[in-house]
Amino acid sequence: MIRKTLNASRLQQEVDRRIHRLQEVVEDGVKIRVPRPQLQEPDKTGCNWNMTNFGNAVGFERDIEGVLKAVRAEYNLSTETKDTSNPFEV
């Protein structure tokens, strides 16, 4: 399966959205802090990012791991960097 690519902000939002839709999280009314994804060398599955140090996540580690596994299978972190030398260039 070919992964889609997202920038760090969009990837963080997608993981956040999926975590906060989990029934256990909704029922407990907890707000879990989702960290920014960190670029890494592609692992054996080809995924080039990971997330660690979720906040307020005690008791939800397995749920978070399940979400991460699914999102890591679908998306890679975009490695393109924008050239900020000319702000008027499109």
Side-chain angles (χ1 to χ4, degrees):
M1 174 181 174
I2 297 175
R3 289 180 173 84
K4 298 173 224 145
T5 58
L6 291 177
N7 67 29
S9 295
R10 293 289 314 264
L11 203 48
Q12 184 180 24
Q13 290 169 356
E14 180 63 17
V15 172
D16 186 274
R17 183 183 68 79
R18 292 189 190 195
I19 287 173
H20 290 97
R21 284 179 41 199
L22 294 171
Q23 184 176 351
E24 299 80 11
V25 174
V26 171
E27 286 175 359
D28 285 2
V30 68
K31 177 70 175 146
I32 295 171
R33 187 188 60 77
V34 177
R36 295 205 32 106
Q38 299 299 312
L39 190 61
Q40 66 179 19
E41 287 296 316
D43 62 16
K44 64 180 184 264
T45 69
C47 184
N48 71 346
W49 62 276
N50 199 11
M51 287 181 174
T52 56
N53 302 322
F54 286 78
N56 202 30
V58 174
F60 296 99
E61 294 88 355
R62 287 182 67 183
D63 299 310
I64 291 169
E65 191 57 42
V67 168
L68 273 182
K69 185 175 182 179
V71 177
R72 285 173 47 97
E74 290 178 47
Y75 297 101
N76 261 343
L77 180 59
S78 173
T79 56
E80 293 177 9
T81 55
K82 287 191 175 179
D83 180 9
T84 57
S85 59
N86 184 352
F88 301 106
E89 205 171 90
V90 181

